[in-house]
Amino acid sequence: MADGAGRGGSVNPGNERSRKRARARSDSEGQAALAHWPRIRDGRSFFLESWRRGEPDMRPDSGRIVIARTAGMDALEKQLYGRAVYVTMEGGVRVTADALLDALQRQCGIQPMAMKVEVACPPYHFFVHFDSVDDCAQVVYLKPLLRCGGAGMSIRRWCWDARGTPGKMEYKTLVSIEGLPEQAWEVETVNNVLAGVGGRLEEMLPPTDRWVLSVIAWLQDPSAIPKSLTVVLPAPTPPPMRPTSDEAAESPSPPRSPVMKRTQEFNLFMHVKEVIDRGRLLIEGPSDCLYSDEEDLTRRHTFCTWRGKIDGTGPGDHGYA
């Protein structure tokens, strides 16, 4: 098990000094990042306020979202693939990240600066990232012999799906989006919009104008796509102000923490045009007796969608969406 207090093998003093310097540098960077956090007296409250925004009793117990894949995510996966492992201590033994780092150095000959050991989210105890593919492979090869704090350890290579459960998006769908702001007509933003409704962008089709953007997407449930969707776009961060010659002669005042982040809301029409459906038939009453699971039920659903009209309320005066 991971233990912040630490109990386990001895730690090399030289390595410990290096780690302390790294932690001190990280702490100073964290303090700098908090410079813009509002400074408000603890415990400040108002007599008539019955609830506090964010308190547990006001929040839903659970939720479900789709994370859109981004170029940054793909780059991180490429960095981690073949260079990272999960470590789980056997027998409930508690050790620290520093003790595990020292154990890997002594037993595998890997220098501390060539790997990073961090406490991991359960069910694993530690996440270890190596600079070298060879060092990672060596740790995996030697895992039956490795010990830390007198206990063995289970080691599993990192993979993108290591801590999840399987799911699927089984409906390939042609969707047209009406009302998307012009600066959002790019792959990552459109993918974020589709992720918000349980989908993933497969292809953006060449637009004929700036009214409607047609895309091909994989969806978890086409029937769950709202006919109208409000998207909230945060305002761009303004560039830093350049001081005048008189202001430059004086010491700059610390930046003020903003009291809000301005946003703009855009109302979109989500038109579902075609759905490739391989799922069970939607029939009133039991349908299991009609078709077997092995039977091919693939069919195409096509819907008339109109510009300027919510699906199901057409026809409209401006043509098809």
Side-chain angles (χ1 to χ4, degrees):
M1 297 177 64
D3 191 348
R7 188 168 72 242
S10 61
V11 180
N12 185 294
N15 297 337
E16 181 66 14
R17 285 193 295 270
S18 298
R19 287 191 286 270
K20 285 183 177 179
R21 286 195 295 268
R23 281 197 294 266
R25 184 167 60 251
S26 177
D27 291 343
S28 64
E29 292 172 352
Q31 292 297 326
L34 288 174
H36 298 287
W37 188 253
R39 296 183 179 180
I40 302 173
R41 176 173 55 84
D42 290 342
R44 189 182 188 215
S45 61
F46 293 87
F47 175 70
L48 296 177
E49 188 172 38
S50 301
W51 300 94
R52 299 169 297 164
R53 286 183 177 85
E55 66 175 280
D57 288 344
M58 293 189 67
R59 293 165 50 200
D61 291 334
S62 61
R64 181 187 180 91
I65 64 169
V66 174
I67 300 178
R69 278 199 163 269
T70 64
M73 182 185 296
D74 291 338
L76 281 173
E77 286 187 355
K78 188 175 180 180
Q79 292 177 20
L80 295 174
Y81 186 76
R83 294 181 173 88
V85 297
Y86 290 112
V87 177
T88 305
M89 299 306 303
E90 297 177 352
V93 174
R94 301 178 67 90
V95 300
T96 65
D98 287 346
L100 178 59
L101 185 73
D102 193 65
L104 294 178
Q105 180 195 8
R106 288 185 287 102
Q107 298 173 56
C108 301
I110 305 173
Q111 294 302 311
M113 298 302 294
M115 57 181 165
K116 185 176 183 180
V117 179
E118 299 172 284
V119 174
C121 182
Y124 307 105
H125 295 153
F126 295 102
F127 180 76
V128 187
H129 185 198
F130 301 91
D131 291 345
S132 165
V133 173
D134 292 339
D135 287 344
C136 183
Q138 181 184 13
V139 169
V140 173
Y141 177 75
L142 294 175
K143 64 181 179 181
L145 306 176
L146 299 179
R147 294 289 185 273
C148 183
M153 58 187 81
S154 172
I155 297 177
R156 175 181 177 178
R157 283 187 179 271
W158 175 88
C159 183
W160 76 273
D161 59 352
R163 291 199 293 110
T165 54
K168 59 183 176 180
M169 296 178 181
E170 56 182 322
Y171 301 101
K172 201 168 190 177
T173 308
L174 177 60
V175 179
S176 58
I177 305 173
E178 180 178 344
L180 193 66
E182 288 74 18
Q183 68 270 34
W185 287 47
E186 57 88 29
V187 170
E188 288 200 15
T189 303
V190 173
N191 204 16
N192 276 327
V193 172
L194 292 170
V197 295
R200 181 189 185 278
L201 177 65
E202 182 74 7
E203 181 182 357
M204 284 177 56
L205 302 181
T208 58
D209 52 34
R210 283 284 171 169
W211 190 338
V212 172
L213 175 64
S214 295
V215 302
I216 297 174
W218 285 104
L219 298 178
Q220 291 179 326
D221 182 4
S223 298
I225 302 298
K227 301 174 186 177
S228 176
L229 178 68
T230 299
V231 297
V232 180
L233 180 65
T237 302
M241 296 181 59
R242 294 184 178 180
T244 63
S245 57
D246 293 337
E247 292 172 337
E250 302 177 359
S251 298
S253 57
R256 296 180 59 185
S257 176
V259 297
M260 67 171 185
K261 179 66 175 178
R262 193 167 63 87
T263 63
Q264 199 75 9
E265 295 186 0
F266 298 85
N267 188 48
L268 313 184
F269 287 167
M270 303 291 290
H271 301 291
V272 175
K273 299 166 66 68
E274 292 185 12
V275 179
I276 305 299
D277 189 351
R278 296 181 176 86
R280 291 186 174 183
L281 305 185
L282 299 180
I283 299 176
E284 293 185 2
S287 60
D288 293 344
C289 59
L290 299 179
Y291 301 95
S292 66
D293 292 337
E294 291 77 19
E295 188 163 353
D296 182 11
L297 299 177
T298 303
R299 62 262 190 211
R300 180 196 301 269
H301 307 308
T302 304
F303 307 97
C304 286
T305 61
W306 304 87
R307 295 183 179 216
K309 288 284 188 178
I310 292 177
D311 287 1
T313 64
D317 299 328
H318 305 288
Y320 294 109

